[in-house]
Amino acid sequence: MKDYRLVGGGQATTALAALSRLGLKTAYLGVVGDDPGGKLVLSGLKEFGVDVSSVVVEEGGETPVALIFVDETAHTRTIAYQPTAPGRLSLSSVDPEFVLSGRCLLVDPHETLFGLEIAPAAKERSIPLIYDAEHMTDGFEEMLAAADYVVGSEDVVSTLNASCVEAALETILDAGPKAAVITLGSEGAIALTRRGLFRRPAFRVRVIDTPAAGDAFHAGFAYAVLRGWDMERTLDFANALGALVCRGLGGRETLPDLKEVLDLVAAGTTVPTSEEKLFNRKGEKR
Ligand code: ADP
């Protein structure tokens, strides 16, 4: 083994670290165990200035752990995941007013059911809710309808049993959100809104490790939603943030500041996309 990192991971948590690095005020709500994994998650977030004061620390709970092996030569990653799960959030375990004090809510799959609980109140207060549709989970389909923005990786094509990327986007948009977005790794990202289809290429960087790319993309997307940017600018910003975290191991130490992201977007050095690959795909994984 050439090198290793011990870092707090997780979808919403990594996205929050990224948003803090961009200069936004962030808070994480979730459940961790009182084990070393839980402590690592909390200390990692505190380092970035994420407010963890409302995190539920479950006595005897086991925080999930993933071992990620990155082969720099073969450009592969192998993930060994210990799927323990401490409890889930519920409206009785948190102060709903604290949740609703945010200007934007990012819900990851682990907290789909809590997202569904809080969604009606968020809608009432016009707080945009972004759903990270990473994988099928209880409440997944209801959440497609409850969210304002649904952002998933290419895996969502098979999760929805769709024939291709566009079909998956249509299924999601039909459920009700304002926009359906699918990230396509080094092919960038594609979005469908009621104004049409938007596709933007990825930015060229020296890629070392990609597991945090999707989480960083979500952070970039949330940042753009808060700024009220149009979809092209939103995808460019999120693609740039997604690319920049791929420059090092673990994702956290390469999280860029705002200037780095804007500079990469302005430089416009993108990876050529393959039309054929995207449009002839029938839902198979690359
Ligand atoms: P996930 O990490 O959830 O599987 P993706 O692999 O689709 O998600 O990556 C999310 C985003 O990160 C992409 O849409 C793209 O913007 C960026 N990204 C991922 N891999 C690369 C890469 N090799 N080069 C440049 N950008 C990348």
Side-chain angles (χ1 to χ4, degrees), residues 28-33 55-58 63 86-89 93 110-111:
Y28 173 58
L29 275 135
V31 184
V32 296
V55 171
V56 178
V57 180
E58 194 180 75
T63 309
R88 294 176 187 279
L89 283 179
S93 58
H110 189 72
E111 293 298 351

Side-chain angles (χ1 to χ4, degrees), residues 126-169:
S126 304
I127 301 169
L129 192 156
I130 301 169
Y131 182 48
D132 173 349
E134 198 221 26
H135 58 251
M136 180 55 83
T137 178
D138 285 351
F140 180 88
E141 278 165 17
E142 294 90 327
M143 200 62 205
L144 299 187
D148 294 289
Y149 303 93
V150 175
V151 183
S153 71
E154 219 180 330
D155 289 347
V156 85
V157 177
S158 47
T159 300
L160 290 170
N161 214 4
S163 58
C164 62
V165 170
E166 288 88 336
L169 289 169

Side-chain angles (χ1 to χ4, degrees), residues 77 134 153-154 183-186 188-189 202-205 207 210-215 217 238-240 242-243 246 271:
R77 67 184 185 199
E134 198 221 26
S153 71
E154 219 180 330
T183 63
L184 302 165
S186 59
F203 288 91
R204 193 193 302 275
V205 292
V207 174
T210 61
D215 306 324
F217 183 97
N239 275 333
C246 297
V271 180

Side-chain angles (χ1 to χ4, degrees), residues 219-277:
F221 193 88
Y223 188 92
V225 164
L226 282 166
R227 293 282 176 264
W229 291 344
D230 64 27
M231 190 49 79
E232 283 98 340
R233 192 171 176 194
T234 297
L235 294 182
D236 282 347
F237 187 84
N239 275 333
L241 191 42
L244 287 165
V245 295
C246 297
R247 298 168 301 165
L249 284 182
R252 294 275 168 99
E253 63 195 50
T254 46
L255 285 174
D257 63 19
L258 184 57
K259 184 177 178 309
E260 281 177 278
V261 187
L262 294 175
D263 283 352
L264 185 60
V265 174
T269 43
T270 53
V271 180
T273 49
S274 136
E275 289 297 323
E276 209 184 307
K277 215 171 172 185

Side-chain angles (χ1 to χ4, degrees), residues 26-93:
T26 58
Y28 173 58
L29 275 135
V31 184
V32 296
D34 60 353
D35 54 352
K39 291 188 177 92
L40 186 66
V41 168
L42 295 182
S43 64
L45 290 174
K46 279 187 204 158
E47 257 174 52
F48 279 90
V50 179
D51 178 348
V52 292
S53 60
S54 294
V55 171
V56 178
V57 180
E58 194 180 75
E59 210 178 307
E62 287 182 85
T63 309
V65 174
L67 288 173
I68 305 175
F69 301 90
V70 179
D71 186 327
E72 270 184 68
T73 317
H75 297 291
T76 58
R77 67 184 185 199
T78 307
I79 303 178
Y81 184 61
Q82 184 199 13
T84 55
R88 294 176 187 279
L89 283 179
S90 71
L91 275 179
S92 56
S93 58

